[in-house]
Structure formats: C-alpha cells, structure tokens
Amino acid sequence: MSALILALIAGAVVGLALGALGGGGSVLAVPALIYLLGFTPAAATTAGLIIVTATSLTALYAHARTGNVRWKAGALFAAAGLLPAAAAGAAAARLPQPVLTAAFAAIAALAAVRMLRPNRTDTGPATGQARPARTAGTGAGLGALTGLLGVGGGFLAVPALVTVLAFEMQAAVGTSLLVISANSLASLATRGATTAGVDWAVIGPFTGAAILGAWDGKRLAAKVTGTLLQRTFAMVLLAVAAFMLIDALT
C-alpha cells in the first residue's frame, strides 16, 4: 500500500478520534507515522505536532460555533502550559530514540486506562472554586507532555477540566481543543529547525484527512454514546502501547 493511501487512512482515524473525543487522536498519530510511514520517533513527534495543531484548530472552530468553548478559563489553563511545552519541545530532540518510544508507549497506556475508567463528572469543585495552584500545575503538566512527545494531551485535558474546573463534558471537550492548540503551537515554535526535514508530501495528506475526520468525529459524537467510543478507542490504544513498548525494549 502506498504511503499516500496510508497517510490518508491514518489521518482520517486521528481526526475522527479528536473530533469525537476532544483528544486522543494524536496518541495514534505518532505510532502511525513511525510504524506505517517510516518516520523516526523524533521526526514523528514533530510531524505529530503539526497534525495536532491543524486538526485541533479546525475542531476548535467547530465546537466554538456551538458554544462549547469557555475561552477565558481555557486560555488561563493553557497559559500555564506554554513555557513547559516550549522547554520540553527543545529537550525532546536530545533524547535517545528508544527513550522517546518507551515514554510514548507509557503515555498511550495511561490514556487507555483513563478512558476505560467510568466517567465521573461530580467529583470536581463547584464552578469557579477551582484551586489556582492545582489548575496551573495541571496545565503545566499537559504543556510538558505536548512538547516532549508531540501529543496534544486532550485525553488528560478533558478529565482535568471536568475535575479541576468543574466543566460539563461538552464544554470540557470543546475547551480542551483550545488548550491543545496553544500547547502545540508553543512546542512547534521551539522546533522550527526540525520542521525543515518533515516530509510534507506525507504530512500534507495526513493533515488534510485528519481535518476532514475531525468534522465527521464531531457528528459521530452526537449519534454514538461517548462510553462506547471511549472503550473502543482505549482498546486500540492498549494494543498500540504494548507494541511500542516491546519495540523499545528489543
């Protein structure tokens, strides 16, 4: 199968997950780039950030049109992650390839476990009573994750917005895309030199398919229960994480 077809298929799946779940698609983008399209882990994380940024901005626009984005709270949450995202992005290029692969596998497994857990929307503080230190710490952690591994962190941003800022689920999904977009842009700013080696003939179709998939994902979320989507996606992630971990250790 040609690289173009593989890029289109992988991009569609990534966009579908991102549009439907508000995150998680980027956790599949990097493995797809490495194992299907032949990218090195370092190049895949940079390319993943490009894909995540473009797709998240598109999905953000779709959610903003329906009023699912809380701009002020989301901007404050994202601001805490900008410097960590930039710093981690600069450090990622210096890490050995097996370390990046193993770290990514661990994050993918964490995302899968988090998605398999029952949703709890009543454990957060009352709206407006979130602890500033906890909010800033969570935002900083998500930023560092984005910069280091080229993932948006939406699979962590959504539950964090629910429990830390007491958002309802739809608002958390929409606002998480604002956080993902900001963190991804900050990390890309530190990787300007590495983007010159990105294969745009592959990344262009991949990103285009992901953007179209994000719109379909938003429509899918309105028709299929969130629990079924999350559990299906989580099982795929667990398989990907196991494969990557074995690859890193052999």
Side-chain angles (χ1 to χ4, degrees):
M1 191 178 294
S2 71
L4 176 59
I5 295 175
L6 288 174
L8 290 172
I9 294 173
V13 173
V14 167
L16 194 68
L18 190 61
L21 302 174
S26 56
V27 185
L28 286 181
V30 172
L33 290 166
I34 294 173
Y35 297 108
L36 295 180
L37 298 169
F39 282 56
T40 66
T45 57
T46 299
L49 282 170
I50 296 171
I51 295 164
V52 168
T53 301
T55 309
S56 296
L57 287 171
T58 302
L60 174 63
Y61 173 73
H63 281 271
R65 290 182 62 188
T66 55
N68 288 334
V69 181
R70 296 189 180 178
W71 296 98
K72 183 177 180 181
L76 291 173
F77 193 88
L82 294 181
L83 287 178
R94 299 178 174 85
L95 291 176
Q97 307 287 349
V99 172
L100 278 177
T101 302
F104 197 98
I107 292 300
L110 174 63
V113 171
R114 179 61 187 82
M115 288 181 176
L116 286 172
R117 291 172 57 189
N119 288 328
R120 296 185 298 172
T121 59
D122 57 351
T123 56
T127 302
Q129 296 181 4
R131 298 174 183 174
R134 187 181 179 192
T135 301
T138 306
L142 289 171
L145 184 70
T146 299
L148 185 65
L149 299 179
V151 299
F155 60 89
L156 295 176
V158 171
L161 289 169
V162 170
T163 58
V164 177
L165 297 182
F167 283 15
E168 64 274 13
M169 185 57 66
Q170 286 283 17
V173 170
T175 307
S176 76
L177 292 165
L178 173 61
V179 177
I180 293 168
S181 299
N183 287 341
S184 298
L185 285 169
S187 181
L188 271 177
T190 66
R191 296 189 183 215
T194 62
T195 57
V198 170
D199 186 353
W200 291 102
V202 172
I203 298 306
F206 195 121
T207 304
I211 289 173
L212 293 176
W215 286 91
D216 290 334
K218 187 178 183 301
R219 288 193 289 267
L220 179 65
K223 298 178 181 179
V224 182
T225 63
T227 300
L228 177 60
L229 285 172
Q230 287 192 4
R231 288 179 178 173
T232 302
F233 189 75
M235 297 307 296
V236 174
L237 274 186
L238 279 177
V240 170
F243 180 83
M244 293 187 75
L245 187 58
I246 292 172
D247 181 61
L249 296 176
T250 55

